[in-house]
Amino acid sequence: MMEPQQNSSDMPETITSRDAARFPIIASCTLFGLYLFFKIFSEEYINLLLSVYFFVLGILALSHTMSPFMNRIFPTSLPNKQYQLLFTQGSGENKEEIVNYEFDTKDLVCLGISSVVGVWYLLKKHWIANNVFGLAFALNGVELLHLNNVSTGCILLGGLFVYDVFWVFGTNVMVTVAKSFEAPIKLVFPRDLLERGLEASNFAMLGLGDIVIPGIFIALLLRFDVSLKKNTQTYFCTSFLAYIFGLGLTMFVMHTFKHAQPALLYLVPACIGFPVIMALVKGELTEMFSYESSEEILPHTPRLTRFPTVSGSPASLANSMQPLPSSPRRRRHVPTSM
């Protein structure tokens, strides 16, 4: 039986304060670059290329997300065989791995189911298929990206707060790209669902960045809860409820003023403010800001560790988003918020 290899791409990528400070600038350049692309080139051909790209990434991300559930429901009576697809260049000591793809029968089942969803998305661009891929990207993003401490989280959220407000209220760039970009980097919510059912066509949208960025901060607070060893999830629950409050406030303002809203304008103050107030009340503010997150596995929390790895090429959600530079390790990417 083949022993699974631990690949560095399976490990979470830690975002440092330097990464957090640079990210709004990188995100702004990427967003404006996409805006220029849609203005200069044909939107049809750009979206065709993006559809194929996200078709592959979506299948891999969804397969990765399904893997823990497949491990639970896969019949024990069926053999779970191990496979490896290896493609090398050169010979002898100069042999170099181009593709090293390890998987088993469970992975094949997950890939098969994910491929059906992928074909559905590619052919129909249906909003349900879009949301399935979008949720898979978001879950992978929260799992694969870690903040090293609360200060870094505040820097990242604060910078993206300014980024979101500027590009939504200051220009039409964000809204233009969001409406033109036919890729599962946003969740769409049909406003005419009751009238048209599954054929709904009038959508409100939420960018994956508005899920992933607050999500990795909330995950950091959950690890902080565990580090306190009080067997509670006070800060996680507080920040999670704060996120729901911020998102609800976003929707209320959007429907009241009939104008696109930068979700981070409401999510950032809520997700930072509520836990900080809670820490002040409990007298744990110093502990919160001095906490340094390690990559420990939370107890009783399933880890999405089985993800087919293709050496030297995009093999996860991370490669579908903006790069975070300045690290000796291979960088992962985070989606911009829309």
Side-chain angles (χ1 to χ4, degrees):
M1 179 176 178
M2 185 181 299
E3 292 292 332
Q5 297 179 352
Q6 182 68 27
N7 191 290
S8 62
S9 64
D10 296 327
M11 300 301 295
E13 187 73 22
T14 300
I15 301 175
T16 65
S17 57
R18 179 178 296 182
D19 295 330
R22 290 180 177 181
F23 184 71
I25 300 174
I26 296 171
S28 295
C29 294
T30 303
L31 179 66
F32 190 65
L34 287 171
Y35 176 78
L36 292 179
F37 260 89
F38 281 113
K39 288 294 183 181
I40 296 172
F41 300 102
S42 171
E43 183 177 313
E44 178 184 354
Y45 294 113
I46 296 175
N47 280 317
L48 178 62
L49 179 63
L50 291 173
S51 294
V52 175
Y53 179 62
F54 281 97
F55 166 76
V56 176
L57 289 175
I59 289 175
L60 292 175
L62 183 58
S63 176
H64 184 203
T65 304
M66 292 173 56
S67 182
F69 306 101
M70 184 58 64
N71 289 336
R72 295 178 182 178
I73 66 173
F74 192 82
T76 55
S77 57
L78 295 179
N80 185 35
K81 297 182 179 179
Q82 303 289 325
Y83 304 93
Q84 181 180 26
L85 179 63
L86 180 63
F87 181 68
T88 62
Q89 179 180 358
S91 59
E93 295 182 355
N94 296 324
K95 184 180 292 186
E96 179 183 358
E97 287 187 3
I98 304 300
V99 174
N100 187 357
Y101 191 75
E102 296 184 7
F103 53 97
D104 56 23
T105 305
K106 297 176 184 177
D107 293 324
L108 287 177
V109 174
C110 291
L111 284 171
I113 298 173
S114 301
S115 297
V116 172
V117 178
V119 172
W120 182 26
Y121 169 76
L122 195 63
L123 296 179
K124 299 295 185 180
K125 293 293 192 302
H126 197 276
W127 62 271
I128 294 180
N130 175 90
N131 287 355
V132 169
F133 274 169
L135 288 172
F137 285 143
L139 287 170
N140 278 269
V142 172
E143 181 209 358
L144 296 172
L145 293 170
H146 278 187
L147 292 166
N148 59 356
N149 54 52
V150 173
S151 297
T152 299
C154 292
I155 293 172
L156 180 64
L157 288 172
L160 289 176
F161 172 90
V162 177
Y163 157 87
D164 218 17
V165 171
F166 172 77
W167 288 112
V168 173
F169 286 151
T171 71
N172 68 336
V173 171
M174 180 78 79
V175 176
T176 300
V177 172
K179 290 181 177 179
S180 303
F181 206 96
E182 292 183 3
I185 60 165
K186 55 183 180 287
L187 300 184
V188 294
F189 305 94
R191 298 173 178 174
D192 53 345
L193 179 63
L194 295 179
E195 293 83 4
R196 303 192 58 187
L198 297 181
E199 299 302 319
S201 59
N202 184 19
F203 300 107
M205 63 185 72
L206 178 69
L208 295 192
D210 299 326
I211 301 173
V212 174
I213 301 302
I216 60 178
F217 185 74
I218 294 172
L220 171 67
L221 294 179
L222 178 57
R223 295 196 296 277
F224 174 60
D225 276 323
V226 173
S227 73
L228 294 176
K229 298 180 180 179
K230 294 182 178 180
N231 200 27
T232 63
Q233 296 183 350
T234 303
Y235 294 100
F236 169 75
C237 293
T238 301
S239 57
F240 186 74
L241 292 175
Y243 180 85
I244 295 174
F245 170 78
L247 195 58
L249 184 60
T250 305
M251 295 178 181
F252 172 78
V253 175
M254 181 180 65
H255 286 291
T256 301
F257 293 97
K258 307 298 181 183
H259 187 277
Q261 297 294 314
L264 293 181
L265 172 63
Y266 309 96
L267 292 174
V268 169
C271 290
I272 294 178
F274 282 43
V276 167
I277 293 173
M278 178 63 69
L280 280 172
V281 171
K282 293 172 66 66
E284 295 174 341
L285 188 63
T286 302
E287 289 89 340
M288 174 185 283
F289 278 90
S290 62
Y291 169 68
E292 287 288 335
S293 173
S294 60
E295 293 174 354
E296 72 268 16
I297 298 176
L298 296 174
H300 312 301
T301 301
R303 291 280 293 171
L304 307 178
T305 54
R306 294 198 58 78
F307 190 49
T309 299
V310 182
S311 302
S313 67
S316 70
L317 160 71
N319 290 22
S320 70
M321 311 165 197
Q322 275 82 315
L324 296 175
S326 72
S327 171
R329 295 164 57 184
R330 186 162 61 95
R331 305 305 302 176
R332 296 189 183 276
H333 303 70
V334 181
T336 60
S337 68
M338 292 184 181

